Amino acid sequence: MKKNITQYEKMTESPLTPLIVSLAVPTTITMLISSLYNLADTYFVSQLGASASGATGIVFTLMAVLQAFGFMYGQGAGSNISRKLGAKDVESAGRFASSSFFLAIGTGLLISCFGLLFLEPLLRFLGSTETILPYSKAYGMCILTAAPLYISSYVMNNILRYEGRAALAMIGLLTGALLNIGLDPLFIFVFHMGIMGAGIATALSQCISFSILLSMFLRKKTQSKISIHCVSKRRDDYLNILKTGFPSLVRQSLNSVSSMLLNKQAALYGDVAIAAMSIVGRCCMTIFSIGIGIGQGFQPVAGFNYGAGKYSRVKKSCKITFVISFAAIAVLSLSCIAASDYIINHFCDEKGVGAIGTFSLRMQCMAIMLAPITMSANMLFQSTGHAARATVTAAMRSGICFIPLILILPQFLGLRGIQIAQPLADLITAMISVPLIMDFFKRMPKEDLT
């Protein structure tokens, strides 16, 4: 019990800036290494040609679907767990953890079976051209095989984060990502397995990450536990997980839809356009991942303190998170703008890719500096259990704002419309998020309950 009380006191009484930073550093490192893995994967595969590089963009959409379920179950359970622990209800925290874990395993098995059965039509639907399809099939088959482990790893990672144990969460994902970076060139070039090697490297790395993360729970390093005996028999618990995690599903699913639409629109301009936009997307996600990592350090602080009735700490921690994430993203974005030409050509020097990618990267880096506004709002709403507001903010960047733009702008501006759709979506999303978060703070109780 002493261990539990110590963790409670840490989350609800420690000075906020050091607390957020201490939780944000491991999550930011994890997000950064994972994004660097994506960049490394794109780089190694791009050496096989523009069609292979385009396949990474197609399969990235598929991976985003798996992440969507992982984040939905993980964030849905994690948000409830942090608030239950804030209220000192450890038994309910274990019930949410176990239920979400086995829900993830079951969902992964279903996606794996149906995905492999309908692999070719699925990849065509996601935007594969005839020349990209052979590469995306080889890569996608490996990703789908590892789907149950992929989804459940994200669940365990989120539970650990929401408990305020970001360092433990980092170890599992970080080990898998670093292993993946090492195995990619080995399987692709040394073993001459081509893009299939990249897929196998990813699947093996997911197995390692899953094993490490699960061991944290089995060795009782956490307050909540994963056990078949703790799986809830209450319908309301599952509805609570789904309701609270739904914004994450919306956000990740719309990321997949937006990627699919982007690939389809870019396909009208050839494989070089798909490859260029895929590289730009990975680069910007690397920058955005820094902000996400900082925001993930904020989430358990918000959840614990909201559950404990310490509302002033919730409000102050949100403001601190915004300032830190904005500063970090601004520095990275400006650096990327300055080196945009070199970055794109370093990944793929085929004719046409550089011209398309450089302009797109500069535009997106300028707009992504507004992302901390929406990110802070979304994570605040979800961590405190305000699912409706969280769903709205989650749906804006890649859905409500982006989808109409990617469908309409190319009709009038051609390729240029594809290139500026995401930057405009980021601008509109930020403008909508500001009044939402201001209204939330206005409605929040002024005095703490404790």
Side-chain angles (χ1 to χ4, degrees):
M1 180 62 72
K2 183 178 179 180
K3 178 181 177 182
N4 293 350
I5 293 175
T6 300
Q7 182 70 5
Y8 173 86
E9 291 175 347
K10 171 188 172 183
M11 300 301 293
T12 58
E13 297 178 13
S14 298
L16 284 170
T17 300
L19 177 61
I20 293 172
V21 170
S22 70
L23 294 172
V25 168
T27 55
T28 301
I29 291 173
T30 302
M31 293 298 301
L32 181 59
I33 294 298
S34 297
S35 294
L36 288 177
Y37 146 67
N38 286 330
L39 289 174
D41 198 47
T42 301
Y43 172 74
F44 291 128
V45 172
S46 70
Q47 307 307 302
L48 303 173
S51 295
S53 184
T56 64
I58 301 298
V59 178
F60 182 73
T61 305
L62 180 59
M63 294 171 71
V65 173
L66 301 179
Q67 289 176 7
F69 284 100
F71 274 109
M72 177 174 69
Y73 299 146
Q75 295 262 12
S79 176
N80 279 286
I81 287 169
S82 66
R83 282 179 279 126
K84 291 297 182 183
L85 292 177
K88 300 183 180 180
D89 185 357
V90 178
E91 181 181 349
S92 294
R95 194 170 66 246
F96 279 110
S98 298
S99 301
S100 62
F101 174 80
F102 287 103
L103 196 58
I105 293 290
T107 301
L109 288 171
L110 287 174
I111 293 176
S112 181
C113 292
F114 283 100
L116 291 171
L117 187 61
F118 301 103
L119 182 60
E120 186 169 324
L122 171 63
L123 294 172
R124 289 184 185 277
F125 177 75
L126 294 177
S128 284
T129 62
E130 288 298 327
T131 50
I132 288 177
L133 186 61
Y135 295 98
S136 59
K137 283 176 67 177
Y139 198 4
M141 183 170 61
C142 299
I143 300 302
L144 284 168
T145 301
L149 305 184
Y150 198 78
I151 296 175
S152 55
S153 292
Y154 274 97
V155 169
M156 291 186 287
N157 175 64
N158 277 281
I159 291 172
L160 287 168
R161 285 196 307 98
Y162 271 101
E163 280 202 10
R165 305 180 189 279
L168 296 181
M170 176 186 70
I171 293 172
L173 293 187
L174 190 60
T175 302
L178 291 174
L179 180 64
N180 209 332
I181 292 173
L183 291 179
D184 263 346
L186 180 67
F187 287 173
I188 294 173
F189 304 115
V190 178
F191 294 161
H192 305 289
M193 299 177 70
I195 198 169
M196 175 69 82
I200 293 174
T202 300
L204 286 176
S205 300
Q206 285 301 318
C207 290
I208 299 299
S209 289
F210 172 86
S211 300
I212 293 173
L213 289 168
L214 183 59
S215 72
M216 304 294 183
F217 291 88
L218 298 181
R219 290 187 291 136
K220 301 183 183 204
K221 298 284 186 180
T222 60
Q223 289 175 262
S224 56
K225 61 181 179 179
I226 291 178
S227 169
I228 192 69
H229 302 293
C230 294
V231 173
S232 178
K233 298 179 177 62
R234 306 175 187 175
R235 186 185 65 173
D236 287 348
D237 285 343
Y238 292 99
L239 291 177
N240 206 337
I241 290 173
L242 296 176
K243 181 186 75 172
T244 309
F246 186 67
S248 296
L249 178 66
V250 169
R251 179 175 56 252
Q252 294 296 123
S253 297
L254 287 174
N255 284 342
S256 299
V257 173
S258 64
S259 295
M260 178 189 69
L261 292 174
L262 178 63
N263 289 331
K264 285 183 175 294
Q265 295 287 56
L268 299 175
Y269 300 91
D271 289 358
V272 292
I274 296 178
M277 298 309 295
S278 176
I279 293 169
V280 170
R282 295 294 180 93
C283 290
C284 289
M285 182 51 66
T286 300
I287 297 174
F288 193 55
S289 69
I290 303 299
I292 293 175
I294 295 169
Q296 288 178 341
F298 156 68
Q299 284 184 305
V301 178
F304 260 87
N305 285 281
Y306 195 83
K310 297 179 178 288
Y311 301 116
S312 61
R313 283 175 63 86
V314 175
K315 184 175 182 179
K316 185 178 179 181
S317 63
C318 184
K319 293 178 179 179
I320 292 171
T321 301
F322 168 76
V323 172
I324 296 174
S325 59
F326 175 78
I329 287 180
V331 170
L332 290 171
S333 296
L334 292 173
S335 300
C336 199
I337 290 171
S340 56
D341 185 62
Y342 170 79
I343 292 171
I344 297 297
N345 287 303
H346 183 70
F347 279 101
C348 187
D349 58 1
E350 289 199 23
K351 185 178 180 181
V353 173
I356 296 171
T358 299
F359 176 81
S360 300
L361 183 58
R362 288 172 179 167
M363 292 296 294
Q364 290 199 29
C365 284
M366 290 175 63
I368 207 170
M369 286 188 278
L370 299 171
I373 298 173
T374 307
M375 179 203 68
S376 299
N378 179 251
M379 291 188 171
L380 171 67
F381 299 150
Q382 190 166 19
S383 299
T384 56
H386 291 76
R389 287 174 182 259
T391 301
V392 171
T393 51
M396 287 191 297
R397 183 175 188 264
S398 296
I400 296 171
C401 299
F402 177 78
I403 290 177
L405 291 172
I406 195 63
L407 292 174
I408 295 171
L409 290 180
Q411 303 297 322
F412 300 95
L413 301 176
L415 178 60
R416 188 68 81 203
I418 297 173
Q419 294 172 305
I420 66 173
Q422 187 64 69
L424 284 176
D426 285 335
L427 174 62
I428 298 170
T429 298
M431 293 172 64
I432 297 173
S433 297
V434 170
L436 287 176
I437 196 168
M438 290 179 66
D439 179 69
F440 182 83
F441 283 149
K442 184 178 179 181
R443 293 171 183 269
M444 185 181 291
K446 297 291 189 299
E447 300 296 330
D448 291 348
L449 294 179
T450 58

